[in-house]
C-alpha cells in the first residue's frame, strides 16, 4: 500500500530528486517539458527503486507482462524493444547489437514522484515524508557530461547509404512495399559519459513532450522524443505518428516559409497518410466497431530544432481486449516500419547493418487502472556503461520518389541535438 505526501517544492527539488534517485538500479524519469500537445505529453514523473520486476523471457513476453500487471496491479514502468517483432511475426534479426538491452524490462517502483503544476506528490511503499527530507538534504553536485572525447563511427557511409536506398526503391518498384523507414547507426566505443548530466544537457538543447531518462542496471536511455506511440485513457486509444521533418531557421520569416513548405509538401503528406492508414489498421484489430477515427491529419508542430508533421488517430478499445493486447497488435509502430508492415520489417533487417534494439521501441508506464502512455524511442542516446559503448540511430521514410541524398541529410538533422551534446 502506497502512502503519499504533498508539498510545494523549492526550485531545485527536481534536480535533487534525480540525483538522489540515480543511486538506484531502476530509474525512469518522464518529462513533458510543458508542451501544449494533443492529449498532452508524458506525465511529469520520476519512478525509482525496484519493488517488483519483470525481465525478458526467451518468448511470450507480452503474455508475461499481462500476468505481471494482473498480479501486482500497481504503477509499472519500463520498455519494449523493437526486436520483440520477432515474437509477433515470423521474423529474425541478424544484425549486430552494440548495446545489448534485454528485449523487455518492467518494474513496479518503490517510490513515485509526480511533479504537478502547483505542487509535488511523493507516493512510496516506505515513508514518503522521510523520503522528502532525505531528498531535501541532497547537495547538487555538478558533474561534466563527457568524461573523455567521443569518437563517433558512422556505420553506413554516405555512398553505401545511397546504394541501399536505390535497392529499396527497386523493391518498391517490384511492389514488395509502398514505403519503409530505413535507419542507420552512429556509435562510439570507449565512450565515458555521465548519463544523467548528458540527459540534462540533451533536454536543455532539445526539450520534447516525450523526453525520458532511463537507467536499468548499467543500461541507459537518454531520450528526446517528439513522438507518442500509443496512449490509453479509460477505453480511448491515441496514436500520433510522425512523418515529415524540416530543419528550423533562426530567421523568423525563413522559418515560417519552411513550416509552410512542409505543410504543403506532397511527398511528406503522402508518406504521413500511408502511415496513418497503417495505424488505423493496427488500432482496428482491438477497436470497438466504427470507433477508429483520424482526429488530425498532417498537422505541423514546432520544436526547438525542427518542424514535424504529426497526425492523431484514435479508437475505443473493445472490452474483450487487455491493455497489453492493444500495444501488442500495434507494435512496432508503423512510423518506424513502413507498409505493408511485415515485408517492410523484413527489408529493414536485410538492408540495415545494425540491430535497432531499444531504438524504435517504446518507453512508458501502466497505471493501476490499466491506462498507459508510451513514446517512440527516437532522437535518443543508448549507453551501456559496463561495455562503455554508446549508440544513436536515425532514419527516414523511403518511397519510390525519395531523394537518397536528402534522406541522408535528414538523418543528420535528426541527430543534430545529440551531436551537440557529444561534442
Amino acid at each position: 500500500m502506497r502512502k503519499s505526501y504533498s508539498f510545494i517544492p523549492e526550485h531545485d527539488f527536481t534536480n535533487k530528486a534525480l540525483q538522489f534517485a540515480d543511486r538506484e538500479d531502476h530509474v525512469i524519469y518522464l518529462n513533458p517539458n510543458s508542451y501544449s500537445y494533443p492529449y498532452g505529453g508524458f506525465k511529469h514523473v520520476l519512478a525509482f527503486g525496484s519493488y517488483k520486476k519483470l525481465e525478458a523471457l526467451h518468448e511470450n513476453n507480452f503474455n508475461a507482462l499481462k500476468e505481471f500487471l494482473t498480479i501486482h496491479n500497481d504503477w509499472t514502468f519500463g520498455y519494449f524493444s523493437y526486436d520483440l517483432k520477432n515474437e509477433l511475426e515470423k521474423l529474425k534479426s541478424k544484425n549486430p547489437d552494440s548495446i545489448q538491452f534485454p528485449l523487455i524490462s518492467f518494474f513496479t517502483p518503490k517510490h513515485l514522484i509526480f511533479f504537478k503544476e502547483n505542487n509535488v506528490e511523493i507516493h512510496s511503499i516506505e515513508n514518503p515524508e522521510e523520503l522528502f527530507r532525505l531528498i531535501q538534504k541532497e547537495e547538487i553536485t555538478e558533474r561534466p557530461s563527457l568524461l573523455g572525447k567521443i569518437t563517433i563511427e558512422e556505420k553506413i557511409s554516405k555512398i553505401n547509404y545511397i546504394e541501399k536506398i536505390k535497392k529499396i526503391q527497386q523493391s518498391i518498384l517490384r511492389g514488395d512495399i509502398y514505403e519503409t523507414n530505413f535507419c542507420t547507426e552512429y556509435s562510439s566505443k570507449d565512450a565515458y559519459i555521465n548519463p544523467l548530466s548528458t540527459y540534462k544537457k540533451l533536454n536543455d538543447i532539445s526539450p520534447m513532450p516525450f523526453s525520458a531518462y532511463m537507467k536499468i542496471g548499467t543500461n541507459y536511455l537518454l531520450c528526446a522524443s517528439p513522438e507518442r506511440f500509443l496512449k490509453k485513457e479509460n477505453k480511448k486509444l491515441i496514436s500520433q505518428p510522425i512523418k515529415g521533418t524540416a530543419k528550423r531557421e533562426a530567421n523568423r520569416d525563413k522559418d515560417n516559409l519552411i513550416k509552410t513548405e512542409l505543410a504543403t509538401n506532397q511527398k511528406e503528406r503522402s508518406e504521413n497518410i500511408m502511415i496513418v492508414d497503417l495505424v488505423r489498421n493496427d488500432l482496428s484489430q482491438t477497436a470497438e466497431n466504427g470507433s477508429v477515427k483520424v482526429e488530425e491529419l498532417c498537422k505541423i508542430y514546432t520544436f526547438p530544432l525542427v518542424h514535424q508533421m504529426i497526425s492523431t488517430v484514435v479508437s475505443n478499445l473493445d472490452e474483450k481486449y487487455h491493455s497489453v493486447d492493444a500495444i501488442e497488435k500495434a507494435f512496432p509502430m508503423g512510423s518506424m516500419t513502413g507498409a505493408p508492415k511485415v515485408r517492410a520489417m523484413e527489408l529493414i533487417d536485410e538492408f540495415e547493418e545494425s540491430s535497432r534494439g531499444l531504438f524504435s521501441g517504446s518507453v512508458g508506464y501502466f497505471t493501476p487502472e490499466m491506462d498507459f502512455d508510451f513514446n517512440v524511442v527516437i532522437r535518443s542516446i543508448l549507453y551501456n556503461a559496463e561495455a562503455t559503448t554508446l549508440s544513436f540511430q536515425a532514419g527516414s521514410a523511403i518511397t519510390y520518389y525519395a531523394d537518397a541524398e536528402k534522406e541522408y541529410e535528414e538523418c543528420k538533422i535528426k541527430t543534430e541535438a545529440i551531436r551537440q551534446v557529444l561534442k
Side-chain angles (χ1 to χ4, degrees):
M1 187 73 176
R2 293 187 184 277
K3 301 169 188 174
S4 63
Y5 177 67
S6 177
F7 56 94
I8 297 172
E10 297 176 359
H11 75 281
D12 60 350
F13 181 81
T14 302
N15 283 328
K16 286 184 175 183
L18 278 168
Q19 183 174 289
F20 182 90
D22 206 41
R23 299 187 185 103
E24 296 280 354
D25 278 343
H26 287 70
V27 183
I28 290 186
Y29 173 60
L30 306 178
N31 186 357
N33 287 295
S34 302
Y35 269 101
S36 176
Y37 200 83
Y39 297 100
F42 268 149
K43 283 186 185 294
H44 194 182
V45 59
L46 172 62
F48 60 102
S50 172
Y51 176 51
K52 300 289 183 181
K53 60 185 177 181
L54 172 69
E55 297 183 331
L57 305 174
H58 293 298
E59 57 185 12
N60 298 324
N61 283 285
F62 285 99
N63 286 336
L65 177 59
K66 265 196 241 185
E67 185 177 344
F68 182 87
L69 294 169
T70 301
I71 292 170
H72 299 297
N73 191 34
D74 199 349
W75 286 88
T76 302
F77 291 72
Y79 70 81
F80 301 96
S81 166
Y82 173 78
D83 285 325
L84 282 165
K85 67 182 174 58
N86 300 338
E87 285 187 18
L88 303 176
E89 306 290 346
K90 292 179 180 178
L91 297 168
K92 58 185 179 180
S93 298
K94 62 178 173 50
N95 294 317
D97 182 353
S98 61
I99 300 296
Q100 298 288 325
F101 275 57
L103 281 175
I104 191 172
S105 182
F106 280 88
F107 71 99
T108 297
K110 292 179 181 177
H111 315 293
L112 281 165
I113 301 179
F114 294 97
F115 302 91
K116 302 194 172 183
E117 190 172 345
N118 298 316
N119 70 319
V120 170
E121 292 179 5
I122 297 178
H123 297 249
S124 176
I125 62 170
E126 298 173 1
N127 184 335
E129 197 167 351
E130 176 61 21
L131 181 61
F132 164 73
R133 286 193 286 268
L134 289 172
I135 292 171
Q136 284 289 73
K137 289 179 182 177
E138 282 285 306
E139 291 188 10
I140 298 295
T141 304
E142 296 296 339
R143 295 184 175 93
S145 56
L146 304 185
L147 307 177
K149 185 179 179 182
I150 304 293
T151 303
I152 296 169
E153 175 191 351
E154 186 176 56
K155 286 297 177 74
I156 301 176
S157 69
K158 185 174 181 178
I159 292 172
N160 195 11
Y161 180 94
I162 291 170
E163 288 175 352
K164 286 175 180 285
I165 298 303
K166 289 177 181 177
K167 290 178 181 177
I168 291 170
Q169 287 171 323
Q170 287 303 307
S171 294
I172 295 171
L173 187 62
R174 286 194 302 269
D176 289 349
I177 53 169
Y178 304 111
E179 171 186 347
T180 191
N181 188 279
F182 179 68
C183 298
T184 183
E185 182 187 22
Y186 311 89
S187 66
S188 177
K189 297 178 180 177
D190 299 320
Y192 295 90
I193 67 171
N194 180 294
L196 182 56
S197 298
T198 305
Y199 164 75
K200 288 179 181 179
K201 191 173 177 182
L202 177 61
N203 194 59
D204 285 343
I205 293 171
S206 185
M208 290 291 177
F210 302 101
S211 164
Y213 171 76
M214 182 178 76
K215 173 188 179 184
I216 306 291
T218 57
N219 289 330
Y220 293 85
L221 168 71
L222 322 177
C223 177
S225 175
E227 185 171 0
R228 168 175 280 133
F229 163 43
L230 199 60
K231 179 177 185 175
K232 178 176 175 285
E233 288 182 338
N234 299 314
K235 68 176 183 178
K236 188 168 190 176
L237 295 175
I238 304 109
S239 184
Q240 294 171 301
I242 292 179
K243 271 286 163 275
T245 303
K247 186 176 181 179
R248 296 195 63 188
E249 287 283 348
N251 180 281
R252 181 179 294 181
D253 290 339
K254 286 183 180 178
D255 194 52
N256 286 334
L257 180 60
I258 286 170
K259 185 176 179 180
T260 301
E261 287 174 347
L262 177 60
T264 56
N265 186 303
Q266 289 306 308
K267 171 187 171 293
E268 303 287 7
R269 289 181 66 85
S270 65
E271 290 174 1
N272 193 294
I273 290 167
M274 279 187 208
I275 299 307
V276 166
D277 282 342
L278 178 58
V279 171
R280 289 171 64 234
N281 182 67
D282 286 346
L283 294 188
S284 71
Q285 296 181 67
T286 57
E288 291 179 348
N289 286 339
S291 68
V292 180
K293 294 181 174 63
V294 180
E295 289 191 342
E296 274 190 347
L297 186 64
C298 299
K299 185 165 181 181
I300 307 302
Y301 286 86
T302 296
F303 299 100
L305 299 180
V306 292
H307 299 294
Q308 301 276 194
M309 184 180 286
I310 305 175
S311 295
T312 298
V313 188
V314 302
S315 69
N316 291 331
L317 182 65
D318 191 308
E319 62 182 12
K320 68 184 179 185
Y321 292 107
H322 191 281
S323 292
V324 174
D325 294 330
I327 293 171
E328 182 178 352
K329 295 297 184 183
F331 192 85
M333 58 290 302
S335 62
M336 298 305 295
T337 58
K341 185 185 272 190
V342 174
R343 183 60 180 139
M345 289 191 289
E346 288 175 342
L347 291 176
I348 284 168
D349 278 329
E350 179 180 341
F351 289 111
E352 291 183 2
E353 295 188 8
S354 305
S355 171
R356 291 190 179 182
L358 182 53
F359 176 76
S360 298
S362 191
V363 169
Y365 63 85
F366 292 91
T367 73
E369 297 77 29
M370 285 300 98
D371 284 346
F372 59 75
D373 201 3
F374 284 87
N375 73 359
V376 179
V377 177
I378 51 176
R379 323 287 165 86
S380 299
I381 298 170
L382 302 178
Y383 182 59
N384 184 324
E386 185 176 18
T388 62
T389 302
L390 178 150
S391 167
F392 57 99
Q393 297 193 42
S396 64
I398 307 302
T399 64
Y400 181 72
Y401 298 103
D403 182 317
E405 293 216 18
K406 288 182 179 178
E407 301 298 335
Y408 178 84
E409 291 306 318
E410 184 174 320
C411 292
K412 291 292 181 69
I413 290 169
K414 289 174 175 175
T415 59
E416 177 60 30
I418 292 172
R419 292 172 188 278
Q420 288 184 37
V421 167
L422 297 179
K423 281 181 181 176

